[in-house]
Amino acid sequence: MEVLVYLADHAGEILTLNQITEAVWHKDYRGESPVYRSVNKIREALGDTVESSKFIRNVRQRGYVLLVHPEPVGKPLRAIMSAAVAAVVVVAALLVLALGNPLQPPGADTRSLAVLPFASMGSAPSTENFGDGLAQELQLRLSQIDTLNVTPQRNAAVFKNTDTPLSQISQLLKVQFILRGTILQNGDELIVNAYLLDPGAGDTLWTESFNRSSSEIFSVLEEIAVSVASALPMDELDSVAIQALAARPTQKPVTFSYYLNGLSYLHGLRDTGRLEYAEELFRRAISEDPQFARAHAALCQTHLQQSIASRSTDYFERAERHCHRAITLDAELPEAKIALSMLYRESGQYELAKQTLRTVLKNDQRNVEALVELGDAYLATGNNAQAERHYKEAIRINPADYSAQTALGVYYFRRKVFPLAAGHLLLVADLRPDSGRAHSNLAMAYWTLGRMDEAEAAFGEALQLEPSRNPYNNRGLFFFYQGDFRSSVEDFRNALAYAENDPEIYGHLGDAMRYLPADEAEILETYGTAIALAEERLKVNNNDPEVLVQLAKHKAHVGASADEVTPLISRAHELSPDQPDTYYIAALTWVVLGDLRNAGQSLSRAVELGYRHNLILNEPDLVALADDPLIGPILAKLSR
């Protein structure tokens, strides 16, 4: 990474091997210079080649030159960076140059729109939530126009109650036009003000005020959608488009009101109790109109998020019921199909997940959410090339989509291409400065790159924004590998408060408790809980390699024999032959069983596949074997 920073400091200059060697290693080398190896690694990380150089060019008999002049992107991003992460900044900047900068104004696309949450003019929380749902419904309707590119609402929702200038919002979201408004509900009275703006030109293309009864919400939505479409520089709408803008998914305004309020909680940014509120509102909507397909689809999405957060099979079964009900009521409903594909993926039915998503993309090739989910399905089956392709296609369509940027960043993290992972995750933190998940992912990137202070600060920021399972679990691992087992145990217990049915966290808790003065029976009970929950998870998806290999390790800790755990490890390797994590956990399992020959083989394979060296070198069970003739040489090689 130091080589890349040095090249960036002298971008456009031809640097000799001697200059680079002296600047980075501060000494002369006899024989082959380490610069060759470093440049090759940088090229591999950036997708560059000697034949078609985009970033680094060989200048024959002279040296190397960096062809671009990278600079950090975005003010929030600069504010969280220091000189210690200069290498990460350079990679992020080069990544932006390669993929397109989401912080730059849009190009020739003059048919792009974002719908911001409508601001509440009253004090009632229900009015504020109704404004969020109203914006999402308008986004959905306007997205039905083939010639109009409407940014997903999850991206526009970031700018709720913000003082960010509209010109900057349009640049961040890569759109030319913005629809915003205000809303006030007072009893049965509904007052809506809507504005269609061109921030770049400083123009207001259309504005209207509506003072109606709440029962007229459908006509208000229809009038806004048709007026916006007519005011934009597009061809005249045909009858099919007009029909889509005027759709009434339910005939009952009160049902629709519950649904819109539920959407606000479902896609909320911070409220940890939001899913419970969303569930209650969608249930009320369904109670009013059991045939309301979109309410069933939304309830499916809600239960699916609850299942993922809590690892509860009960929530998974509820999600499945409502997804199938939504599909029965409306076989072409895209949000129901996407949610159903996620259920298929979670249960190991990967081909069904892919087939379902392809039907969504057949009707809408620009559906970014479906592209990301299809990438996830390919990733689950080990087809990394297709996963990466679909993530990149989603980013090509909408570079400002933080979900797609996160997916590609996490993909690179799992593939151990850490500089590219850090680049994407830095961009996500810039796009979503208020997201706990974004900061937690960024903390993992900092940790991987050895920036421990930045990592701990990012974890703290994540937990302040959104205390939840992932940041507590990840920070618990961070403390564990630093030898701070007491803090690790505390964080794992906090994580379980948000995911009481998660076998992985119980396993981590048992691992940390082993290095503290703890009752042996309590440790065995913790591993026993992990085993029971892992076996329950396998009832949903018996083809999950991570759960299989974790179950093997948990069982080894409670005294299971090699004959009992070997089939689990073998099955995990069969399902995921190139996943370094399964080989690493397998190595730890063999250590517990005292089979150091198999432990050494599994550890070597994990290293070969790119498992993180800093974790291996700080794993207490492995450190204790530094003098072992099978394990010791592996550790010694990694520490050089």
Side-chain angles (χ1 to χ4, degrees):
M1 295 295 288
E2 289 82 358
V3 172
L4 180 56
V5 174
Y6 185 66
L7 289 171
D9 286 341
H10 299 81
E13 300 177 27
I14 299 174
L15 301 174
T16 67
L17 293 181
N18 288 339
Q19 283 178 297
I20 299 172
T21 303
E22 176 63 29
V24 174
W25 288 275
H26 308 293
K27 62 181 179 180
D28 293 328
Y29 268 82
R30 297 292 180 263
E32 183 180 354
S33 170
V35 175
Y36 295 120
R37 184 170 60 253
S38 297
V39 170
N40 286 337
K41 287 183 178 179
I42 293 168
R43 280 181 168 146
E44 181 181 355
L46 294 173
D48 204 14
T49 64
V50 176
E51 294 77 14
S52 57
S53 301
K54 293 181 292 184
F55 299 118
I56 301 175
R57 176 175 295 167
N58 288 20
V59 181
R60 190 174 181 182
Q61 297 182 341
R62 296 187 64 184
Y64 296 99
V65 58
L66 188 68
L67 301 174
V68 295
H69 295 259
E71 294 182 2
V73 292
K75 183 177 178 181
L77 207 155
R78 288 195 293 271
I80 63 173
M81 293 188 291
S82 67
V85 292
V88 179
V89 175
V90 172
V91 172
L94 291 175
L95 177 70
V96 167
L97 290 168
L99 297 178
N101 188 351
L103 306 182
Q104 294 300 319
D109 185 3
T110 59
R111 295 171 179 171
S112 51
L113 171 74
V115 184
L116 301 186
F118 277 42
S120 170
M121 301 304 291
S123 58
S126 59
T127 302
E128 180 177 350
N129 297 329
F130 192 82
D132 297 345
L134 187 73
Q136 179 146 336
E137 178 64 21
L138 285 167
Q139 181 270 330
L140 182 65
R141 292 184 182 220
L142 291 165
S143 296
Q144 305 303 308
I145 303 173
D146 293 337
T147 56
L148 181 62
N149 185 13
V150 186
T151 198
Q153 199 59 25
R154 60 175 176 267
N155 298 322
V158 174
F159 299 100
K160 176 180 178 180
N161 298 330
T162 181
D163 56 1
T164 306
L166 288 178
S167 58
Q168 186 177 347
I169 294 175
S170 69
Q171 291 176 357
L172 286 164
L173 296 177
K174 289 185 80 71
V175 297
Q176 181 170 356
F177 304 109
I178 288 178
L179 175 63
R180 68 183 312 186
T182 61
I183 184 169
L184 174 64
Q185 277 187 307
N186 183 18
D188 187 49
E189 186 181 28
L190 177 66
I191 301 174
V192 178
N193 300 305
Y195 312 88
L196 179 63
L197 309 169
D198 182 345
D203 293 337
T204 299
L205 278 68
W206 167 83
T207 183
E208 188 68 61
S209 296
F210 304 87
N211 191 337
R212 309 280 179 83
S213 72
S214 297
S215 63
E216 295 178 89
I217 180 61
F218 294 121
S219 62
V220 172
L221 282 167
E222 178 183 349
E223 288 181 47
I224 294 176
V226 171
S227 297
V228 167
S230 300
L232 291 172
M234 299 187 303
D235 296 335
E236 186 175 348
L237 299 178
D238 58 25
S239 59
V240 175
I242 293 176
Q243 185 177 358
L245 296 178
R248 294 196 176 193
T250 176
Q251 296 304 312
K252 296 185 176 181
V254 66
T255 302
F256 200 59
S257 178
Y258 286 138
Y259 170 73
L260 291 182
N261 278 285
L263 288 180
S264 172
Y265 286 113
L266 175 60
H267 300 291
L269 296 176
R270 299 187 188 181
D271 186 354
T272 54
R274 64 186 176 84
L275 294 178
E276 286 73 19
Y277 291 118
E279 178 183 357
E280 174 60 25
L281 287 163
F282 293 139
R283 288 194 180 281
R284 290 185 185 179
I286 291 170
S287 176
E288 291 286 339
D289 182 0
Q291 308 301 311
F292 189 8
R294 283 166 57 183
H296 284 283
L299 190 52
C300 171
Q301 293 174 327
T302 303
H303 286 322
L304 183 57
Q305 287 193 31
Q306 290 170 321
S307 172
I308 293 171
S310 67
R311 298 301 195 266
S312 168
T313 56
D314 179 53
Y315 280 130
F316 184 90
E317 291 167 357
R318 293 189 210 174
E320 196 170 25
R321 286 198 300 271
H322 285 285
C323 259
H324 284 297
R325 180 60 178 154
I327 293 292
T328 299
L329 292 167
D330 185 347
E332 297 302 320
L333 193 63
E335 54 262 51
K337 287 187 173 184
I338 292 172
L340 186 61
S341 74
M342 295 173 68
L343 286 170
Y344 286 144
R345 178 168 54 81
E346 286 288 313
S347 60
Q349 301 177 79
Y350 304 119
E351 293 308 315
L352 280 176
K354 294 174 191 175
Q355 291 172 17
T356 304
L357 290 164
R358 289 189 193 108
T359 64
V360 175
L361 292 168
K362 184 178 179 180
N363 294 325
D364 181 7
Q365 296 178 355
R366 299 177 61 85
N367 191 311
V368 170
E369 187 177 4
L371 285 166
V372 171
E373 286 300 326
L374 188 52
D376 289 345
Y378 276 116
L379 187 62
T381 56
N383 193 333
N384 297 315
Q386 284 292 334
E388 184 177 10
R389 185 177 76 81
H390 283 85
Y391 295 148
K392 286 183 174 179
E393 175 64 10
I395 290 172
R396 186 193 67 78
I397 292 170
N398 190 345
D401 189 273
Y402 69 82
S403 179
Q405 292 282 2
T406 298
L408 189 56
V410 172
Y411 165 80
Y412 283 132
F413 190 92
R414 293 185 61 177
R415 297 293 299 167
K416 317 307 175 190
V417 188
F418 298 122
L420 282 183
H424 281 281
L425 296 176
L426 280 164
L427 288 176
V428 174
D430 205 29
L431 290 167
R432 289 289 308 276
D434 60 346
S435 166
R437 182 188 178 194
H439 285 279
S440 182
N441 286 335
L442 182 59
M444 295 296 285
Y446 281 143
W447 177 19
T448 300
L449 294 166
R451 313 303 186 189
M452 309 304 276
D453 290 342
E454 286 89 351
E456 188 165 358
F459 278 129
E461 182 72 12
L463 287 166
Q464 183 177 354
L465 289 168
E466 293 181 71
S468 59
R469 171 201 179 275
N470 283 342
Y472 273 123
N473 180 57
N474 290 339
R475 194 176 70 170
L477 291 170
F478 175 77
F479 286 135
F480 178 87
Y481 284 104
Q482 292 187 85
D484 185 354
F485 303 116
R486 196 169 300 280
S487 295
S488 180
V489 165
E490 181 180 350
D491 271 353
F492 290 140
R493 292 193 187 281
N494 285 330
L496 287 171
Y498 296 92
E500 61 183 0
N501 298 305
D502 193 320
E504 179 183 17
I505 300 176
Y506 273 104
H508 292 159
L509 178 60
D511 293 341
M513 290 170 63
R514 291 170 53 220
Y515 299 99
L516 292 175
D519 181 57
E520 183 67 21
E522 184 181 1
I523 296 174
L524 291 175
E525 181 182 358
T526 300
Y527 280 125
T529 303
I531 290 169
L533 291 173
E535 290 175 339
E536 189 69 18
R537 290 293 297 172
L538 290 173
K539 292 178 182 178
V540 175
N541 180 4
N542 62 3
N543 290 319
D544 189 324
E546 293 184 9
V547 176
L548 286 165
V549 75
Q550 288 167 5
L551 178 59
K553 185 167 78 73
H554 304 333
K555 286 194 169 187
H557 277 299
V558 299
S561 67
D563 289 341
E564 293 178 79
V565 303
T566 297
L568 296 169
I569 294 174
S570 298
R571 178 62 176 155
H573 291 333
E574 178 186 344
L575 290 167
S576 188
D578 297 321
Q579 177 54 257
D581 301 67
T582 57
Y583 284 95
Y584 177 66
I585 297 172
L588 298 180
T589 305
W590 295 122
V591 168
V592 175
L593 293 170
D595 186 343
L596 298 187
R597 183 182 63 83
N598 271 326
Q601 291 177 352
S602 295
L603 186 59
S604 294
R605 180 62 174 152
V607 171
E608 179 185 338
L609 291 170
Y611 197 79
R612 293 165 61 186
H613 295 183
N614 63 329
L615 298 190
I616 295 173
L617 292 171
N618 289 286
E619 170 59 52
D621 281 353
L622 296 177
V623 171
L625 296 170
D627 296 328
D628 179 81
L630 295 170
I631 303 297
I634 301 173
L635 301 180
K637 184 177 180 180
L638 294 179
S639 63
R640 285 201 290 267

